């Protein structure tokens, strides 16, 4: 058994498909190189830093079970650059990195499928009925396509790119937003059908743009997706302020990401514009993070 | 012949359908009780106040021709509370009020159809290929439904209501926006079809809401329409700022009105909220006008 084992996992952003995914439409999510880093180690000390959440406990327990250990002296140190509870996938990233680090401590290297299944179980302590897209992205890296009842598959990226995240700093409740959309759709079936049809065309074109590395088109399609989410009523003043500030500063596209009603937006821009867009997001009252796509998922760091 | 004749005509706002109307979808416009007032009078004085635009000249000439007069001493005084060139129909209102006042000076009262046809001709000096919706609304008052190739018909209003106009003060070019949408639609036919289908469901529901006086539903449908216009790429930072400021101040709905890319937005609100929404629009940098629907179109004022 090793003295310690380090592993890290990337965050994620939904590029296309929030809310529409609930109605059976495909969604695209990308891994972001904003990572959760976990060091697993053994210690008999009673003075362990940090406290354990249900998610952390479940991840450690699942990992120990996998390696057939009941060692109570295994601990983890978690360092994260990912803001929590804003739709950037910190739960799945944290769980995956813990599972990889703890099993690694016992010299076991899990397959991606094993990691995915275990991380998904852990996510259930935090999210009701999670789709699985978060653990899929964090474990595999890159971009993935997810559709309810169909599953998850990787998306080919013609070229790498970088997103600018804008955190509104406003609390959000994905559940409340999902319920708002449910009522909207129930009362106006025809309008919802039209929005879904439009979204469906948009996401298929986005897949093509991602494969080609056509970022102008990708940005425009992100704007279309944002408009559809507006129509559903899940955007708000501050999200829109950051979205439009980014566009006016030259972003190729900008949209809310995640459930809406607060949380984060994302902007796509050429390398030359990244910093200036981060600045306008800050001036508009948001917290910007420049986040390159992470081609890799969970990795062992030593 | 009378010494003078006064007539007034209301402005208009597009409630639903900007841009989509170009693709054959129906639009709803309403007459606003922000009026252009015209006094026609005879004077031999060389010192006439104001200057004549091509529109004013054409309206006076058309009116004189109708009454078989070649009197060069007929003049008009125009007083208007309508901002010009922001999509509120000032051209059609000005032309209609002039035609009514000048013909009235000669004791002639034109029918609504005559007024409409003459005002439409005058509008051609200002707008290329006008749809006819502006003169229809200003002449008839109330709300009208317009569809290309189908025509114009009145919309039943279950109850009166008041809009708050927010003028961004930013210049706009409807032509440039129409061209932007044309390119968007040409390159992404399927996305445009989806947006049109969604719009079509939305406007049919809006007609129902107007008939019932269901303003909560009407406001929500205005928000949907705004989202679709966002998806088309015709909104901008300031329009959205006024739209979201209004919604967060309790408007039942808010959307851009007219071509977008500047110009005006409209908000729908209960009577109790009108003033506070006008205030937030002002604080957000817009110029608010509280505008009740005008049930009457062109009227003689004495």
């Amino acid at each position: 058994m090793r003295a310690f084992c380090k592993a890290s996992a990337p965050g994620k952003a939904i590029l296309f498909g929030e809310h529409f995914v609930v109605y059976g439409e495909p969604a695209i999510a990308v891994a972001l190189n904003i990572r959760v880093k976990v060091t697993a180690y053994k210690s008999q000390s009673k003075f362990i830093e940090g406290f354990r959440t249900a998610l952390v406990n479940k991840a450690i327990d699942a990992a120990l079970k996998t390696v057939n250990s009941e060692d109570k002296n295994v601990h983890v140190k978690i360092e994260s650059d990912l803001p929590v509870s804003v739709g950037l996938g910190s739960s799945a990233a944290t769980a995956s990195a813990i599972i990889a680090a703890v099993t690694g401590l016992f010299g076991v290297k899990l397959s991606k499928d094993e990691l995915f299944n275990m991380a998904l179980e852990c996510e259930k302590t935090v999210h009701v009925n999670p789709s699985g897209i978060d653990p899929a992205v964090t474990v595999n890296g890159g971009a993935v396509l997810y559709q309810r009842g169909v599953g998850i598959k990787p998306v080919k990226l013609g070229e790498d790119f970088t997103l600018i995240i804008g955190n509104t700093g406003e609390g959000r409740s994905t559940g409340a937003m999902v319920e708002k959309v449910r009522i909207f759709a129930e009362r106006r079936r025809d309008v919802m059908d039209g929005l879904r049809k439009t979204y469906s065309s948009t996401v298929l074109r986005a897949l093509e743009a991602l494969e080609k590395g056509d970022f102008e088109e990708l940005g425009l399609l992100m704007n279309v997706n944002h408009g559809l989410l507006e129509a559903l009523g899940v955007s708000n003043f501050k999200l829109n302020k950051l979205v439009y500030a980014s566009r006016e500063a030259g972003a190729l596209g900008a949209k809310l990401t995640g459930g809406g009603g607060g949380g984060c937006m994302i902007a796509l821009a050429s390398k030359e514009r990244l910093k200036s867009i981060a600045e306008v997001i800050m001036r508009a009252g948001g917290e910007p993070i420049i986040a390159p796509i992470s081609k890799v998922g969970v990795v062992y760091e030593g």
Side-chain angles (χ1 to χ4, degrees), chain A:
Chain A
M1 189 173 170
R2 302 170 55 176
F4 68 90
C5 180
K6 291 184 175 188
S8 76
K12 75 101 194 8
I14 297 181
L15 205 54
F16 289 86
E18 38 279 282
H19 291 289
F20 290 102
V21 79
V22 175
Y23 296 84
E25 301 296 339
I28 302 172
V30 289
L32 301 175
N33 208 10
I34 320 172
R35 305 185 78 83
V36 178
K37 291 173 189 163
V38 171
T39 309
Y41 61 98
K42 283 197 66 165
S43 171
Q44 261 120 30
S45 167
K46 284 174 185 169
F47 306 101
I48 301 293
E49 278 178 79
F51 62 97
R52 289 185 171 192
T53 64
L55 179 92
V56 171
N57 272 331
K58 181 141 186 190
I60 295 173
D61 290 350
L64 290 174
K65 199 176 159 198
T66 301
V67 297
N68 292 314
S69 166
E70 287 181 0
D71 197 326
K72 297 287 175 211
N73 297 316
V74 171
H75 298 281
V76 292
K77 192 178 102 191
I78 303 167
E79 295 160 285
S80 177
D81 297 322
L82 265 180
V84 171
S85 289
V86 291
L88 297 180
S90 76
S91 307
T94 303
S96 310
I98 291 174
I99 294 163
V102 171
T103 51
L105 191 64
F106 291 84
V108 173
K109 201 182 164 188
L110 300 177
S111 71
K112 285 182 175 179
D113 276 356
E114 287 169 312
L115 264 177
F116 167 80
N117 288 323
M118 289 168 71
L120 180 58
E121 281 306 309
C122 292
E123 241 206 314
K124 290 179 184 168
T125 60
V126 186
H127 300 302
V128 181
N129 198 12
S131 68
I133 195 165
D134 284 17
V137 175
T138 200
V139 167
N140 293 290
V144 303
L145 185 73
Y146 166 77
Q147 192 167 10
R148 231 177 225 195
V150 177
I152 289 159
K153 67 177 189 182
V155 171
K156 244 198 284 176
L157 294 182
E159 216 177 298
D160 286 350
F161 57 98
T162 295
L163 295 176
I164 306 126
I165 311 284
N167 188 350
T168 62
E170 286 174 359
R172 71 194 227 295
S173 162
T174 300
M177 288 292 134
V178 168
E179 177 62 8
K180 188 178 178 185
V181 174
R182 191 189 65 73
I183 293 169
F184 176 100
E186 194 174 270
R187 296 196 184 151
R188 299 163 200 92
R189 193 69 146 302
D190 50 350
V191 177
M192 188 64 183
D193 285 348
L195 289 169
R196 282 181 55 184
K197 181 180 180 311
T198 315
Y199 171 74
S200 166
S201 301
T202 305
V203 72
L204 291 178
R205 286 179 173 273
L207 280 173
E208 229 177 88
L210 280 167
E211 272 193 32
K212 284 187 194 160
D214 182 351
F215 296 123
E216 284 219 10
E217 183 66 11
L218 187 68
L220 186 141
L221 295 166
M222 286 167 67
N223 293 350
V224 172
N225 193 170
H226 183 72
L228 304 179
L229 291 165
E230 291 253 12
L232 282 181
V234 297
S235 191
N236 71 4
F237 187 87
K238 193 148 181 201
L239 281 169
N240 262 42
K241 194 174 173 190
L242 303 187
V243 162
Y244 271 89
S246 303
R247 289 187 197 166
E248 300 217 339
L252 298 167
K255 66 182 276 291
L256 70 85
T257 189
C264 294
M265 50 73 67
I266 50 174
L268 178 69
S270 64
K271 275 186 187 133
E272 300 71 38
R273 293 278 169 111
L274 294 174
K275 275 193 185 164
S276 59
I277 289 165
E279 268 167 34
V280 304
I281 287 176
M282 190 149 21
R283 276 204 298 276
E287 184 206 346
I289 314 174
I290 293 177
I293 299 302
S294 178
K295 279 180 164 172
V296 293
V298 171
V299 291
Y300 290 93
E301 308 260 359

